[in-house]
Amino acid sequence: MNAPREPVRDSNPSLYGDHYRRINRLALISVATLLLIGAAPPEKGLPAISEQTQRSGGPVDPRQAALRFDSADLAMEIFPDKQAIAATAILDFTTTAPITVLLIDLDRNLPVTAVSINDTVLSAGRWSNPDGRLAITLPKPARAGDHLTARLTYGGTPHVAVRAPWDDGMVWARTPDGRPWIASTSEGYGCDLLWPCLDFPTGEPGQVTLHITVPIGLKAPSNGVLVGVDQLADGRTTWNWRIKHPNTYAIALNIGPYEVIEGQYKSRFGNTIPMFYWYLTGEEVKAKALFAEFAPTLDFFESTIGPYPFGDEKVGVVETPHLGMEHQTINAYGNGYKKAPEGFDWLFQHEFAHEWFGNQLTAANWDDYWLHEGFGEYMQPLYGRWREGDARYATMLDDQRNKIVNRAPLISGKQRSEEDVYEESKGGPATDIYYKGAWMLHTLRGLIGDTAFFNIVRREVYGRPDPVPGNFAPRYGSSTEFETLVNQETGKDFRWFFDVYLRQSALPELLSMRDAQALHLQWKTSLSTPFPMPVTIAVDGEKRLIGMPDGRATVMVPEGAHVVLDPDAAVLKRSMAVENYQAWQKSKPNTN
C-alpha cells in the first residue's frame, strides 16, 4: 500500500509571453511609472512594514484557502536611482468555495492604483490595504469552480533589507566599479514584499511568467526558462522568464552588469540540463572555479537522491550582494568564493540542496521546516563522504553537533509561521532545524541502513519510489508523512524515535554503570518514554552492537577492560562535554 500523498501542486498549461501581450504589459508599466511618482507613502505613524507583511505562513484565512492559484504574470520595471519599482500583475485563480472578497497579500508600501476583475475595472473604493492584505470586493459573488483573473497595477519603494538574507526585502547595492547591483530576498517575510501573492507554503502558483525591465547595461537573470529579451528603443531591456511550480518565496529579482558562464550537464537519467552562472565583471577565474563545482554536485545529488527536479528549466546561480538564498533555479550566491578544508563551497552546496528539499519537496506547514533545512544541512557531510570518505563525513558532522542547543522541539504539531519556527524569541527551534535535523537523519540512517533510508527519502521528495525526468512534479510533504514512510519501509513502528527527536526538546541520555563483571546501560528521556535505541560499545577496541528493546541492557565486561560507548558517534544523545563547551563559549566576552 502506498503512503498517503499530499496533493501535487496545481499547474496551468496556458503560457503567457507572446509579443503582443508583452507590448501591452510594457505600456501598463509606463502608466504605473507615472502613478508611482505621486503614490502616497504609508500613512503617517504606521510602521514601515506591517505585522501582517512580516508574517509568512501560519493559519490560513478561509477566503484564501478557497483559492487555487493557477498562474501569475508579473511585469516589473526597476528604478535603481529611486530604489523603486512599478509593476502590473495578472493573477489567475480558481475558486474552490464561494467568496465575495478576493484577499491577496501585498506590502502596503507598494500602493495599488488600478484593479480589474475578469476585465471589469473597479473603482478605487472597491479595494483597500490597511495592513498588508489587499481586500478586493468582487463585482459579483464567486461560486465554487469559478475562474477569477485579477489585474493589478502597483508600485512604490519595496521594504529594504537591513541585513539580508536574515532580514528580507530589497538590497540596493553597487558593484566595485559603482554600477547598480540589486537583489531581493523574501524567505522570512514572504512573497508579498515584492508581488501580490498568497503568502503561505500551499499558496504556490502553478506557473509564473516574469517580465523584468532594467536600465541600459544591466541584466536580470531570474527563475525558470528565459523566453526572450526585448530591446527597448531607449536602451532598456525586458527579460522574460517562465517558471513552473515556484516556491512562494522563490521569485527573485537579480539585477546587475553580469557576465555569464554557460554549460550543459549530461545526466545519468538521460536528459541534458543547461547550467548558468551570472557573476560580476573581473571575477572570471573565481567564477569558473565555482562553476566547475556544478557538475559533480549535480552528480552527487542525482546518484544519492534522484533526478534534478528542474532539468527542463536550468541550474542557475547568480552572484548577489547578500550571502545567499534558495531561489528556485536561480540560487543566490554571495559567499565571496571562500575556500574551505572540505574542498567545496558550502554556501553553493547548501542552497543547491534546496532544489530537492524546499523547492521539489515543500513543507506544507512551516512547522515542518526541518524537512528543508535539516536535509539541506545533512547533504553537506554526505557530500563530504561521497568525495573523500568517512573521515570527512565525521569531521563535518562533529562541527554540526556542537551547534545543537535543544531549546524547543523541532515541531509543535500546530500551524505555524516562518518566524514562529525560525526565531528563538518566539519559542521556535531556530537553528536546531538545521543541525539537530541533520543529526536526527544521521542517527536514523545508521539505525535502519542506507537502502531503507534513501528509499524513504526518495519517496518523500518525489512522491514515488521510481523517479525519472517527466514522471513527477513538485509536491508538499510533512513530518507525519515522513514518519509513515519510515514505518512502511522498515515494517516497524518508529513513533518512539520521532517522539524524542521531533516532539521533545531534550536529547536522550545514555546512562552507564560498571560493576566487577558487567556494564549496565539505560536510556533516559525527558518524559520517561520508551527509547529502544540499540548502541554500539567498544570493549578493548572490539565493537559490539547492544540491543536495548526496553531501553535497558546489561553486558558482561571483563574487569579492567576499556569501554567506549557509541565509538562511531552513531546516535544523537546528550553530551555533557558539548554542553560545558557551549556554556564556556557563551560566557566568553564579546570581542566583536
Side-chain angles (χ1 to χ4, degrees), residues 117-139:
I117 300 293
N118 293 346
D119 294 327
T120 299
V121 177
L122 304 186
S123 61
R126 302 282 292 186
W127 73 83
S128 64
N129 186 11
D131 63 355
R133 179 164 283 173
L134 179 66
I136 304 170
T137 302
L138 297 176

Side-chain angles (χ1 to χ4, degrees), residues 255-308:
I255 296 157
Y258 289 115
E259 305 290 338
V260 64
I261 301 174
E262 302 180 33
Q264 291 186 330
Y265 171 75
K266 303 291 186 180
S267 169
R268 61 178 57 228
F269 292 95
N271 57 320
T272 298
I273 303 170
M275 303 184 299
F276 301 86
Y277 177 48
W278 285 271
Y279 65 96
L280 295 183
T281 303
E283 298 180 342
E284 184 175 3
V285 173
K286 295 178 181 179
K288 285 182 176 179
L290 182 65
F291 188 74
E293 294 190 30
F294 286 24
T297 309
L298 253 172
D299 192 40
F300 160 71
F301 278 101
E302 289 208 322
S303 64
T304 305
I305 307 300
Y308 176 62

Side-chain angles (χ1 to χ4, degrees), residues 106-176:
L106 180 64
D107 185 3
R108 64 188 176 195
N109 289 333
L110 301 174
V112 173
T113 54
V115 176
S116 68
I117 300 293
N118 293 346
D119 294 327
T120 299
V121 177
L122 304 186
S123 61
R126 302 282 292 186
W127 73 83
S128 64
N129 186 11
D131 63 355
R133 179 164 283 173
L134 179 66
I136 304 170
T137 302
L138 297 176
K140 63 179 181 178
R143 300 165 298 181
D146 282 354
H147 178 78
L148 297 176
T149 296
R151 190 185 195 101
L152 313 177
T153 303
Y154 69 99
T157 304
H159 177 70
V160 174
V162 177
R163 185 172 172 257
W166 296 276
D167 176 50
D168 294 302
M170 294 294 294
V171 179
W172 305 92
R174 293 278 173 177
T175 62

Side-chain angles (χ1 to χ4, degrees), residues 29 47 49 68 97 125 141 147 152 155 160 215 334 425 542:
I29 278 190
I49 184 171
R68 188 184 72 206
H147 178 78
L152 313 177
V160 174
S425 62
E542 181 182 341

